[in-house]
Amino acid sequence: MRRKLAAGNWKMNGTKANIAVIRDLAQAHPSPMVDVLICPPATLVAACAGHAPVAIGGQDCHAAAKGAHTGDISAPMLADAGATHVILGHSERRVDHGETDELVAAKAEAAMAARLVPVVCCGESLDEREEGMTLDVIGAQLAGSIPNGADGSLIVAYEPIWAIGTGKVPTLEQIAEVHDFMRRVLVDRFGAAGDEMRLLYGGSVKSGNAAEIFAVGNVDGALVGGASLQVADFSPIITALEAS
Ligand code: PGA
C-alpha cells in the first residue's frame, strides 16, 4: 500500500513569521494517517525542520554537490538543513530558468545521492492539451526527468501548467487518464518500484475539491501551492486525504 502524501509548495512566499504555520500544522495533526510535507523557501528550511510529523523539503537543488555556483543550493546542503525531500522540475523552474528534462534528471540523481526524496514534477501546457499532446508530453517528461537509478521512494507530481494558480482544475476523468498512464509507464520501466512511487496531483487543489480528486485511482495525494500557506486552508486537505 502506498502511504498517501499531502505536500505543500510555498514557492517564493514566507518569512520567519510563517514558521508558526509549520508548528501549528504539527500541533493540529500530531499523528496523521498520511505523510505531510511542506517545502518552504530555502531561507526557512532549517528553521522549519524539526516539527515532526511535518517533513520539510526544498523547492530545487543544483546537480552538483558543491562548487562555484553563486546563488545555488546543493542537495547535501538541503539535507544538512533538515530537509528530507526536494521538489524538482516544477513548471515554474522549467519556464523561468529553462530547466530541461536532462537537467532535472541530474538534479534528481544529486538528490538521491544526498538521501533526499525527489518530487519530480511534470505537466502539459494549455496548448499541448488542446492539441491532444498531453500523454506524449507527460511520457517524454517522465522518460527524461526520472533517472534510471530511481527507487520506489521517488515521488511524481502531475501538475498541468494551466491549472497552477488559476483555479482551473482538470476533470476527474482527465486526472485519472494521466495518473493511470503515469502508473503504466513507471511500472513498465521500474517494475515493482514503479508501483511504489507515489503520484501526486497538483494545480488549484483546495479544501473544496480535494476529496473528489483524492477519490481518483492512482492519485496518492496532492502537491498544493496557494492553499498550503495557511493552516486553515491546508489542514482540511490533510483531513480529506486521511478520509480517502
Ligand atoms: P497551486 O500551485 O496549488 O497554487 O495551483 C500548485 C503548484 O504549483 O505546486
Side-chain angles (χ1 to χ4, degrees):
M1 266 296 275
R2 293 180 295 268
R3 190 167 157 92
K4 306 233 164 114
L5 170 62
N9 171 12
W10 283 5
K11 310 189 178 185
M12 199 171 68
N13 297 292
T15 58
K16 278 185 276 187
N18 298 71
I19 299 165
V21 171
I22 308 286
R23 191 198 56 216
D24 293 350
L25 264 182
Q27 270 168 17
H29 301 273
S31 45
M33 290 154 57
V34 300
D35 289 341
V36 179
L37 167 69
I38 296 285
C39 299
T43 49
L44 296 180
V45 165
C48 287
H51 291 90
V54 181
I56 299 301
Q59 299 176 9
D60 175 48
C61 70
H62 198 278
K66 63 182 165 104
H69 302 288
T70 301
D72 280 313
I73 293 172
S74 74
M77 288 171 179
L78 285 174
D80 179 60
T84 51
H85 296 65
V86 59
I87 297 171
L88 295 172
H90 189 283
S91 60
E92 286 154 15
R93 293 210 58 87
R94 290 178 187 263
V95 171
D96 294 354
H97 300 274
E99 292 197 4
T100 60
D101 290 332
E102 194 182 12
L103 180 63
V104 176
K107 291 180 174 201
E109 281 185 358
M112 295 186 305
R115 297 180 182 276
L116 294 178
V117 174
V119 180
V120 175
C121 302
C122 62
E124 82 285 4
S125 67
L126 189 57
D127 282 353
E128 289 163 340
R129 173 151 294 271
E130 286 175 346
E131 284 162 21
M133 304 277 296
T134 298
L135 298 187
D136 294 328
V137 169
I138 302 302
Q141 288 177 336
L142 294 183
S145 304
I146 301 178
N148 286 332
D151 64 26
S153 67
L154 183 135
I155 297 163
V156 177
Y158 168 55
E159 300 205 307
I161 297 172
W162 50 276
I164 295 175
T166 57
K168 290 187 196 143
V169 181
T171 65
L172 300 180
E173 290 73 22
Q174 287 171 328
I175 295 174
E177 181 189 33
V178 174
H179 279 245
D180 290 348
F181 170 75
M182 295 197 298
R183 180 67 66 206
R184 281 199 305 278
V185 165
L186 294 170
V187 169
D188 277 354
R189 180 166 165 206
F190 294 102
D195 202 40
E196 285 167 23
M197 293 175 181
R198 291 179 286 182
L199 307 183
L200 309 181
Y201 168 76
S204 296
V205 175
K206 310 274 180 245
S207 59
N209 60 20
E212 59 181 22
I213 292 170
F214 294 153
V216 175
N218 278 315
V219 172
D220 304 311
L223 181 55
V224 183
S228 70
L229 291 166
Q230 306 287 340
V231 177
D233 295 326
F234 197 50
S235 183
I237 293 174
I238 296 171
T239 305
L241 189 58
E242 289 179 308
S244 71

